Amino acid sequence: EVYRRPDDPQLPVICRDAQPTRLIGETRMPIPLQPGQAQRYDDEYERIGTANTFMIVEPLAGRRKVSVRATKTARDLEQEIKELLDVDFPKAEKIVPVWDTLDTHAPASLYKAFPPQEARRLLDRLEIHYTPKHGSWLDIAEIALGVFTKPCLDRRVDDIDTLRSEAKARADRRNASGAVVDWQFTTDN
């Protein structure tokens, strides 16, 4: 029902999700694209590490924001919330997040990350809606991550700065295109 609300800048609905991304390097130089021949690369690769891609989608307005962090700790997640409230939506009365039931998404985690007064200030500006257990597909950010991942990560990316740059460029293109989510699922069905 949250997705059926009218778009309201004072109460923006946002969806948030994260996914790990493997950083993978080449062990041999790929053979470049040539007329009549696709680019070729070796099946062998180097595992460099992981990064975490955080997707925030404002489905009613058709905007998305992607950030890439080295870790996915409670502190990372709560910094994302603080930035969302203080930087992305500073004038909104409240934001209405829809997210899964990951243990770090509990209001108590804000008290672990921030002093009590700051945690209370942030919580007072949240109207949290959780997706049901085994129903994370109801979080539009999960869908947006799928749309983002295929074209953005269809090749090997070996460092976090390149991943950040690619992620920002992809999100900017999607935002410029005005791509919105046409949510068809209702509580009745």
Side-chain angles (χ1 to χ4, degrees):
E1 295 301 314
V2 173
Y3 298 148
R4 299 179 78 186
R5 294 180 179 182
D7 187 19
D8 182 351
Q10 286 302 305
L11 293 167
V13 173
I14 64 104
C15 302
R16 180 172 152 260
D17 202 7
Q19 76 177 14
T21 304
R22 294 187 310 158
L23 300 175
I24 297 173
E26 300 290 352
T27 58
R28 292 177 180 77
M29 187 62 87
I31 300 171
L33 177 74
Q34 296 180 10
Q37 184 108 28
Q39 179 179 8
R40 293 178 284 172
Y41 57 93
D42 198 86
D43 287 341
E44 187 177 319
Y45 58 87
E46 178 185 5
R47 293 181 180 153
I48 296 173
T50 60
N52 292 278
T53 304
F54 292 84
M55 172 71 72
I56 294 172
V57 178
E58 192 181 356
L60 302 175
R63 288 188 293 267
R64 65 222 22 90
K65 176 184 173 187
V66 179
S67 63
V68 177
R69 293 178 177 261
T71 57
K72 183 183 167 186
T73 65
R75 186 69 179 164
D76 292 311
L77 295 167
E78 302 326 321
Q79 287 297 329
E80 290 285 327
I81 292 299
K82 183 171 174 46
E83 184 174 321
L84 185 68
L85 290 165
D86 294 344
V87 177
D88 301 327
F89 297 98
K91 295 181 180 178
E93 178 185 323
K94 285 188 175 213
I95 63 167
V96 183
V98 175
W99 57 45
D100 58 29
T101 55
L102 187 65
D103 61 345
T104 55
H105 293 169
S109 66
L110 285 168
Y111 285 95
K112 293 177 185 174
F114 301 109
Q117 302 84 355
E118 179 66 359
R120 180 78 263 157
R121 180 186 75 81
L122 296 171
L123 279 171
D124 285 345
R125 292 192 55 217
L126 296 173
E127 178 190 317
I128 301 170
H129 293 266
Y130 294 99
T131 58
K133 189 174 182 179
H134 305 296
S136 63
W137 58 273
L138 292 168
D139 183 348
I140 290 175
E142 186 169 304
I143 298 165
L145 271 169
V147 170
F148 161 82
T149 300
K150 187 170 172 93
C152 189
L153 299 176
D154 63 347
R155 60 185 181 74
R156 295 176 181 167
V157 176
D158 62 358
D159 68 274
I160 197 166
D161 290 331
T162 301
L163 180 59
R164 282 185 180 122
S165 174
E166 297 271 335
K168 182 179 180 337
R170 175 75 177 151
D172 289 349
R173 282 192 304 275
R174 294 282 294 164
N175 288 339
S177 75
V180 296
V181 175
D182 182 14
W183 189 256
Q184 299 290 318
F185 186 78
T186 65
T187 304
D188 291 339
N189 61 12

